[in-house]
């Protein structure tokens, strides 16, 4: 796989994504026109959201919505509330959503949204105004058959509830299918809150099989203790693995005998913060380099780079976060024999169950948690097998294989529609 200059590592998530998209399309036999269409979102909207703060001042926040491509169907993807949101990040995230939906064979293209803000420093009332203001600003281009948002970093089912309510008021009819990740009582799906972590756990199980690692007693490290990371730590703990390290934005906890995950889950706050309660912490960098069998980055981008990839000791890395490993680091890990399950496959469980939620909303017929889990298992297993076999058959890393599998169907649909 081609990558940026080794001496000047490409940490821009959009440009580094474009490198892999180009390579994948070229290996699929597509030319420059297809790449030109897919290297950026089809549509990108910037919005301004005025919010009356509790102290009486007015703050104007900036938000984005990217729709990567709708040749397959409506676009789909989460909304992030974070101070570091950028245009390029939202664009890259929308491309990754297209690839995820392609791998899992969902009838969607990718979308993504973000608002530059820090909900940790805002009241509930202020967050609600951002959520409602964002929906008013993007309402023209979204909808159950156009573009369907969902939760992402620092947005949760409550934020989805406000957004669904605002959209339903604007349209003057009840629209549960406008957004996924809702509370169950408002049309959410059973199992949606744990779906990303369940998907990651299925990938870990399958990766362990091909790497001949017994999960029972294996040593697991999870970076990030929010929606994705905390449930994953719990599932690994419950399956007999030893979770020896976890972290959040403020530091990391390490215990060679295994951490008490149930107690940490009880004590974490709604933003996935728990380490502040402890004195004996290590840094996130030290956490990533711990001696372990399985490493799961479940926090933010650019955590495993060419600076530290050589020091990663895990035999399996499953990306629960989006974009935690740079292309250069992907190459270093793959060359070392580490099985790297990329984000577009590893964390696809979230969008798969979001799709199930949308289907249930459209039908007005709701499934049991058991039905949701069985269907998730089937789709994840098939996705893992397809990507793994592509990587083996073509002797390429799992990320490039995933991009090839994920983009194939979209490129085909674009051709059939006569766009390229
Ligand atoms: P979250 O906001 O619930 O939790 C994020 C966690 O990461 C928190 O524990 C936070 O403290 C930690 N964190 C933040 N900045 C950090 C830093 N600089 N260093 C170390 N830790 C840091 O978010 P989430 O929903 O769990 O999402 C985490 C990742 O998983 C993101 O990349 C997201 O895009 C991806 N993802 C989430 C879902 C989902 O359904 N939640 C689905 C697909 C992908």
């Amino acid at each position: 796989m081609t990558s940026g200059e080794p001496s000047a590592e490409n940490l821009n998530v959009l440009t580094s994504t474009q490198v892999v998209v180009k390579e994948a399309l070229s290996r699929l036999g597509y030319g420059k026109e297809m790449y030109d269409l897919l290297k950026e979102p089809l549509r990108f909207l910037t919005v301004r959201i005025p919010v009356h703060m509790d102290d009486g001042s007015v703050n104007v926040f900036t938000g984005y919505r990217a729709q990567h491509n709708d040749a397959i169907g409506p676009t789909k993807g989460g909304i992030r509330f974070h101070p570091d949101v950028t245009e390029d990040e939202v664009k890259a995230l929308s491309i990754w959503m297209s690839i995820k939906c392609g791998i899992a064979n969902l009838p969607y293209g990718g979308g993504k949204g973000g608002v530059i803000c820090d909900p940790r420093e805002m009241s509930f009332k202020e967050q609600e105004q951002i959520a409602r203001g964002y929906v008013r600003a993007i309402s023209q281009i979204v909808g159950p058959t156009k573009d369907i948002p969902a939760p992402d970093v620092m947005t949760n089912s409550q934020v989805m509830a406000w957004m669904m309510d605002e959209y339903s008021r604007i349209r003057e009819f009840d629209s549960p299918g406008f957004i996924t990740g809702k509370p169950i009582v408002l049309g959410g799906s059973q199992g949606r809150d744990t779906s990303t972590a369940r998907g990651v756990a299925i990938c870990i199980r399958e990766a362990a099989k091909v790497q001949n690692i017994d999960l029972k007693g294996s040593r697991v490290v999870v970076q990030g203790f929010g929606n994705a990371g905390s449930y994953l730590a719990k599932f690994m703990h419950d399956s007999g693995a030893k979770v020896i390290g976890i972290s959040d934005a403020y530091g990391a906890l390490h215990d060679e005998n295994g951490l008490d995950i149930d107690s940490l889950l009880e004590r974490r706050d709604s933003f996935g913060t728990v380490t502040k309660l402890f004195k004996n912490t290590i840094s996130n960098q030290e956490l990533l380099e711990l001696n372990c069998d399985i490493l799961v980055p479940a926090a933010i981008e650019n955590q495993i780079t060419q600076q530290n990839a050589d020091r990663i000791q895990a035999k399996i890395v499953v990306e629960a976060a989006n974009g935690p490993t740079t292309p250069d680091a992907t190459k270093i890990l793959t060359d070392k024999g580490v099985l790297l399950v990329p984000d577009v496959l590893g964390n696809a469980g979230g969008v798969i169950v979001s799709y199930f939620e949308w289907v249930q909303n459209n039908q007005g017929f709701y499934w049991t948690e058991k039905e949701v889990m069985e269907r998730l298992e089937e789709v994840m297993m098939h996705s893992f097998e397809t990507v793994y076999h592509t990587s083996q058959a073509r002797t390429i890393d799992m990320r490039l294989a995933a991009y090839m599998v994920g983009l194939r169907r979209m490129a085909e649909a674009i051709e059939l529609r006569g766009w390229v």
Side-chain angles (χ1 to χ4, degrees):
M1 189 175 102
T2 43
S3 59
E5 289 296 311
S7 54
E9 190 174 25
N10 191 351
L11 294 180
N12 177 305
V13 285
L14 178 60
T15 50
S16 61
T17 298
Q18 289 168 336
V19 171
V20 194
V21 168
K22 192 172 194 173
E23 176 80 15
L25 288 173
S26 134
R27 284 180 184 248
L28 288 169
Y30 291 101
K32 182 177 175 309
E33 303 80 5
M34 189 64 79
Y35 172 66
D36 282 345
L37 183 61
L38 291 178
K39 72 180 180 189
E40 289 261 348
L42 212 56
R43 211 169 284 114
F44 188 82
L45 185 66
T46 302
V47 298
R48 307 282 281 159
I49 309 158
V51 170
H52 292 258
M53 308 299 283
D54 295 346
D55 65 6
S57 64
V58 175
N59 269 5
V60 181
F61 294 89
T62 299
Y64 306 108
R65 186 74 196 167
Q67 297 175 342
H68 177 236
N69 195 283
D70 54 10
I72 293 278
T75 47
K76 174 105 193 71
I79 298 163
R80 179 174 286 206
F81 284 180
H82 197 279
D84 300 334
V85 165
T86 64
E87 287 191 29
D88 277 359
E89 180 192 56
V90 174
K91 287 178 179 177
L93 283 159
S94 74
I95 298 175
W96 297 340
M97 285 305 298
S98 281
I99 296 166
K100 265 179 235 187
C101 295
I103 292 170
N105 221 2
L106 310 180
Y108 296 136
K112 202 76 185 191
V115 180
I116 306 171
C117 66
D118 194 343
R120 289 167 297 194
E121 289 172 4
M122 299 172 80
S123 70
F124 240 49
K125 238 176 108 188
E126 291 165 342
Q127 290 181 52
E128 178 176 355
Q129 285 184 69
I130 293 216
R132 291 185 184 277
Y134 179 75
V135 168
R136 282 195 298 278
I138 65 165
S139 66
Q140 294 289 321
I141 65 163
V142 291
T145 55
K146 280 187 186 172
D147 181 12
I148 306 126
D152 193 67
V153 176
M154 289 205 271
T155 55
N156 55 22
S157 58
Q158 174 60 75
V159 177
M160 299 304 107
W162 290 323
M163 290 186 169
M164 192 273 276
D165 183 65
E166 191 66 24
Y167 185 81
S168 297
R169 287 189 198 191
I170 294 169
R171 292 280 174 259
E172 297 183 340
F173 54 80
D174 194 38
S175 298
F178 154 65
I179 205 161
T180 58
K182 302 178 291 293
I184 303 272
V185 70
L186 293 178
S189 177
Q190 298 289 342
R192 171 61 182 90
D193 49 351
T194 57
S195 57
T196 302
R198 284 206 189 275
V200 177
I202 293 168
C203 286
I204 291 176
R205 189 190 67 207
E206 295 309 302
K209 272 188 213 157
V210 299
Q211 291 287 77
N212 281 322
I213 293 175
D214 188 359
L215 273 189
K216 276 223 158 35
S218 64
R219 290 135 52 87
V220 179
V221 168
V222 184
Q223 184 196 32
F225 207 62
N227 178 281
S230 65
Y231 288 128
L232 191 259
K234 167 82 177 142
F235 294 148
M236 296 316 293
H237 175 74
D238 290 351
S239 68
K242 215 168 16 162
V243 181
I244 61 163
I246 65 103
S247 77
D248 59 28
Y250 304 94
L253 303 175
H254 172 215
D255 185 343
E256 273 305 308
N257 298 316
L259 293 159
D260 183 349
I261 298 301
D262 288 322
S263 138
L264 292 174
L265 265 173
E266 263 173 36
R267 298 173 76 187
R268 66 151 203 176
D269 70 15
S270 64
F271 297 113
T273 309
V274 71
T275 65
K276 277 179 168 175
L277 303 172
F278 296 83
K279 279 210 178 85
N280 258 343
T281 58
I282 59 171
S283 71
N284 265 283
Q285 274 312 310
E286 289 169 314
L287 175 99
L288 294 171
E289 295 169 19
L290 286 174
N291 186 5
C292 65
D293 300 300
I294 298 153
L295 172 62
V296 182
I300 53 162
E301 284 113 42
N302 292 334
Q303 295 302 294
I304 307 177
T305 66
Q306 66 177 10
Q307 308 302 324
N308 63 359
D310 250 341
R311 295 194 296 276
I312 301 294
Q313 302 189 55
K315 299 171 195 80
I316 294 171
V317 175
V318 179
E319 295 180 336
N322 283 307
T325 316
T326 63
D328 289 344
T330 299
K331 182 164 178 1
I332 295 170
L333 293 180
T334 308
D335 289 350
K336 285 207 310 181
V338 176
L339 181 62
L340 174 71
V341 179
D343 45 12
V344 287
L345 170 62
N347 66 32
V351 70
I352 292 167
V353 176
S354 268
Y355 165 62
F356 295 161
E357 181 174 332
W358 180 75
V359 169
Q360 293 171 73
N361 294 151
N362 291 345
Q363 295 187 332
F365 178 69
Y366 289 85
W367 310 347
T368 63
E369 182 162 5
K370 186 166 170 277
E371 286 170 312
V372 172
M373 289 311 144
E374 281 170 4
R375 289 181 167 124
L376 172 64
E377 168 84 24
E378 195 183 322
V379 180
M380 278 307 297
M381 283 281 292
H382 184 257
S383 302
F384 183 92
E385 277 165 15
T386 313
V387 173
Y388 183 70
H389 285 125
T390 304
S391 89
Q392 293 293 300
R394 296 194 176 238
T395 334
I396 54 177
D397 65 59
M398 288 276 281
R399 191 182 312 281
L400 182 54
Y403 275 51
M404 289 180 68
V405 173
L407 289 171
R408 184 183 290 135
R409 204 178 48 136
M410 180 167 277
E412 227 180 280
I414 288 170
E415 270 192 329
L416 286 167
R417 283 179 183 265
W419 292 355
V420 166

